[in-house]
Amino acid sequence: MGKAISRLLVLSDDQVRKIMLRHFFDRNCNATSIRGKQSGAAVSISVLRAELKASHGLTRQQVVSNLTYLLSQGWVEEKPVAKSFATPRGSIVPSVTTYYIITAAGIDKMGGPSEFMRDRFEGIRIQATGQNIITIGDGNQIEARFREIGEALANLADAVKASESLDDSAKLELVADINSMQDQLAKKKPNKGVLRSLWTGVETAAKAAGIVEAATKVKEFITSLM
C-alpha cells in the first residue's frame, strides 16, 4: 500500500498517459481477439481500471481523466457494443458496453511510423488542382513554393521536441500548432489570420523556452504570408 501511494504522488499526468497508452499498445500486440477480458485488444473501463491499479497503482480518477485526454487527442478510441437482455417479466432491455482500443495513431506513437500510413491527400488528384505538393518533416505535405517556410517549421518542431525546458504536454501543444501552420501551407492561399494567430502563440512559447534561433528562422520566411 505504501509503494502504491508513493508512486501515485510522483506520477505526472504525462507519465500516467504514457503508462496507459503503453498498456493499450501491449494489449493490442498480445491480443488474440478484438474484445475479451484477458486477450482482447479492446477493453472495458472496469477492466482497464482494475489492470492499471494492479500494475501501476493508478486510481480511478487518474485513469478516467487521462483516458479522456487520450481520447480527445486520437490516441485511443471508443467502441460501443450494443446488446439487449430479457427481464423475468419478458421485457427487452437494451444495454451498451463501451470498449476502448488504441488507434493507428497511438500504435505509431508507441511503435514508430509504419510504411502503411495513408497519404493525407489520398483520393485527391493533385495534378487536377494545379498544385505541386511536396512532403517534408514528419510527413507534412505542403505546396512546393513554401518549401523554405515548411522546412523552417519542421526544424522548429524538432527543436521543440528536443527541448529540456518544456514538459511533454507543452511540447505536444506546440508541435500541434506548428503542424496546423503546415496544414495552411498545403493551400494555394494560406489563411493569413489563422497563420498569424498560430504563429503568435508558437513564437512566444518557443522564445520563452530558449528556442530562439529556430523561431527566428521561421519568422524570416513567414512574415511575408501574414
Side-chain angles (χ1 to χ4, degrees):
M1 183 68 177
K3 284 186 177 181
I5 294 175
S6 175
R7 191 182 298 131
L8 170 62
L9 293 176
V10 299
L11 287 178
S12 66
D13 281 339
D14 278 346
Q15 288 173 316
V16 173
R17 290 162 191 164
K18 287 178 182 177
I19 289 171
M20 292 179 64
L21 195 57
R22 169 58 64 178
H23 186 78
F24 280 113
F25 180 79
D26 290 342
R27 247 192 175 272
N28 184 70
C29 288
N30 298 318
T32 56
S33 63
I34 297 299
R35 295 183 298 274
K37 186 173 181 179
Q38 300 297 329
S39 59
V43 60
S44 67
I45 187 65
S46 59
V47 172
L48 180 66
R49 287 200 308 260
E51 290 179 343
L52 289 170
K53 181 178 180 180
S55 61
H56 292 86
L58 300 187
T59 66
R60 176 190 295 248
Q61 182 180 5
Q62 284 177 307
V63 172
V64 172
S65 64
N66 287 292
L67 177 59
T68 299
Y69 183 85
L70 293 174
L71 287 166
S72 66
Q73 290 293 335
W75 303 123
V76 175
E77 65 180 344
E78 294 178 324
K79 293 286 188 181
V81 176
K83 296 181 180 179
S84 60
F85 63 92
T87 67
R89 295 186 177 184
S91 300
I92 303 298
V93 179
S95 174
V96 177
T97 301
T98 300
Y99 291 84
Y100 300 91
I101 189 170
I102 193 169
T103 62
I107 293 172
D108 290 339
K109 172 73 173 175
M110 300 306 296
S114 166
E115 64 177 293
F116 293 97
M117 289 178 67
R118 294 184 63 180
D119 185 337
R120 294 171 62 199
F121 296 113
E122 184 177 347
I124 300 175
R125 291 189 300 117
I126 297 298
Q127 293 84 354
T129 69
Q131 289 178 266
N132 184 9
I133 299 294
I134 60 172
T135 302
I136 61 171
D138 291 334
N140 292 299
Q141 291 168 300
I142 65 172
E143 272 235 340
R145 62 196 175 98
F146 298 134
R147 176 190 289 272
E148 289 183 318
I149 305 173
E151 290 178 343
L153 283 168
N155 290 336
L156 177 57
D158 288 340
V160 168
K161 295 172 188 176
S163 172
E164 297 182 356
S165 303
L166 298 167
D167 60 27
D168 285 345
S169 180
K171 289 180 181 180
L172 187 64
E173 291 182 10
L174 261 180
V175 171
D177 284 345
I178 292 171
N179 285 339
S180 294
M181 293 180 70
Q182 299 273 32
D183 288 341
Q184 287 296 316
L185 301 183
K187 302 177 181 180
K188 279 189 173 182
K189 294 182 178 180
N191 188 310
K192 294 182 179 181
V194 171
L195 281 175
R196 189 181 304 114
S197 176
L198 288 168
W199 176 241
T200 298
V202 169
E203 181 182 28
T204 300
K207 288 186 175 180
I211 311 173
V212 178
E213 184 177 350
T216 301
K217 194 66 176 178
V218 172
K219 190 170 185 178
E220 289 178 12
F221 295 118
I222 207 163
T223 302
S224 61
L225 290 180
M226 299 189 297

